[in-house]
Amino acid sequence: MLRFPRITGARLPAACVATVAMLLTAPVHRVAADTAAPVVFLPHQVQYALSLKSTRNNVSVNNASGRILYNFTGNACDGYSSEFRQLSELDAGENKTIVSDLRSANWESGDGKSFRFTIQTQTNNEEPSVVDGNAERAGERIKVQLKKPVAKTLMLDGDVVFPTEQVKRIIAAARAGKSVLELKVYDGSDTGEKVYNTFTVIGQPMDAARATHASDIALGEAALKTVRRWPVTVSYYDKGAGSGQGEETPVYAMSFELYENGVSRALAIDYNDFVISGMMASFEVRDVKRAKPCKP
């Protein structure tokens, strides 16, 4: 699953509230078996084409374009690596164009205890901002050591999870027939000091042949044809803003169809005043190395 920061320079005052979906349906014996099975991710590279889907509140966004390139590799023993680039261009009217370029490279251990990250963000021709650091679980807490933008040590609550662990838990919840999931997530966003409260809504599993968005290439991919997927919406809130079930306004929300192997399709990134659509433009399965049994 991908994470999308807000587009710098865009105005985000309006609320975006996820609608709670119906509970998933599955035979009891299938749910028990699925819950016990580990989540196995598919190493892959995917590109999404971005476009403006809709606007709200008379916001001055006339058009949007861009692309996302995402590369995910690794396994439970060696850890998971991801490289992400989102290049977006917004036509904000009155001859104002906002170009946002985000690049990130992360590594997360298979047990979710270690996380390394580097994030670079640039808006128009401004000087890029860089966040660089690592996080380690230490007893009941998480120790974050930042190198950039400034050297600093932070301590986070032990119930915070990193991005790949977040995806694992969403898939596990979907398998178990759960419709909602609340998690605190840390991914190094902003200056590296941001923790999000997330509220995830999971819909019923989708038929392999069903396409809510038929314009991308995912449904024709052999590696995805027989893989279960669920419609998912994740709302991101500033820490302390609540669970998402009341009147709080999320920073942003993202909807997508999540495959059981971690691939995402049919993206919709909701920045409150406008929504960006991301259709899968290319997809490639990467070399899958057979992981040796993890050493104790």
Side-chain angles (χ1 to χ4, degrees):
M1 186 183 76
L2 307 178
R3 279 274 289 105
F4 304 92
R6 74 179 189 180
I7 298 177
T8 305
R11 192 170 61 88
L12 307 172
C16 169
V17 180
T19 302
V20 177
M22 296 176 62
L23 288 172
L24 300 175
T25 57
V28 174
H29 69 277
R30 179 64 181 272
V31 169
D34 285 353
T35 303
V39 174
V40 178
F41 292 113
L42 178 70
H44 65 284
Q45 180 173 288
V46 60
Q47 183 169 265
Y48 303 91
L50 304 180
S51 61
L52 181 64
K53 183 177 182 180
S54 62
T55 62
R56 304 187 187 98
N57 308 311
N58 297 317
V59 66
S60 296
V61 175
N62 299 325
N63 193 23
S65 61
R67 66 184 184 275
I68 291 170
L69 182 63
Y70 179 67
N71 185 41
F72 181 91
T73 59
N75 54 62
C77 292
D78 300 329
Y80 303 100
S81 298
S82 64
E83 295 177 345
F84 174 97
R85 185 180 184 189
Q86 178 179 347
L87 183 62
S88 306
E89 182 174 323
L90 297 181
D91 177 0
E94 299 179 353
N95 296 319
K96 182 179 180 182
T97 300
I98 301 171
V99 178
S100 177
D101 189 356
L102 170 81
R103 308 177 191 215
S104 71
N106 300 331
W107 178 87
E108 184 175 334
S109 62
D111 57 10
K113 293 183 178 180
S114 302
F115 179 55
R116 298 196 299 264
F117 54 92
T118 301
I119 305 169
Q120 177 179 298
T121 306
Q122 183 176 22
T123 302
N124 293 338
N125 294 319
E126 297 176 1
E127 188 72 19
S129 63
V130 178
V131 180
D132 186 13
N134 63 80
E136 295 279 345
R137 293 190 181 276
E140 299 297 319
R141 303 276 281 170
I142 296 174
K143 183 178 181 179
V144 178
Q145 293 183 305
L146 294 175
K147 300 175 184 178
K148 296 180 180 180
V150 293
K152 183 179 290 189
T153 299
L154 310 171
M155 297 302 295
L156 308 179
D157 295 337
D159 58 349
V160 172
V161 301
F162 305 131
T164 304
E165 181 66 22
Q166 177 193 14
V167 182
K168 283 185 181 179
R169 296 198 185 191
I170 293 174
I171 294 173
R175 287 174 169 178
K178 297 181 180 180
S179 62
V180 296
L181 178 67
E182 295 183 55
L183 293 170
K184 296 177 184 177
V185 177
Y186 177 80
D187 65 357
S189 289
D190 291 348
T191 60
E193 301 181 48
K194 172 79 74 174
V195 173
Y196 287 103
N197 285 342
T198 68
F199 184 73
T200 301
V201 178
I202 306 167
Q204 296 184 5
M206 303 178 69
D207 184 273
R210 178 185 169 194
T212 54
H213 301 276
S215 59
D216 69 30
I217 66 170
L219 297 181
E221 289 293 328
L224 302 175
K225 277 186 176 181
T226 61
V227 181
R228 283 188 299 175
R229 70 186 195 276
W230 296 266
V232 173
T233 297
V234 185
S235 297
Y236 288 83
Y237 297 81
D238 285 326
K239 188 174 182 293
S243 65
Q245 300 182 71
E247 297 298 326
E248 301 87 0
T249 301
V251 177
Y252 68 96
M254 48 187 291
S255 299
F256 49 95
E257 295 173 12
L258 177 62
Y259 286 89
E260 197 168 12
N261 57 15
V263 176
S264 298
R265 73 177 294 270
L267 312 178
I269 314 163
D270 193 329
Y271 294 104
N272 294 323
D273 279 348
F274 59 95
V275 181
I276 300 295
S277 174
M279 292 293 102
M280 188 181 287
S282 66
F283 179 82
E284 177 185 351
V285 176
R286 306 306 300 269
D287 290 339
V288 180
K289 296 181 179 179
R290 291 189 176 182
K292 298 178 180 179
C294 297
K295 296 181 180 180

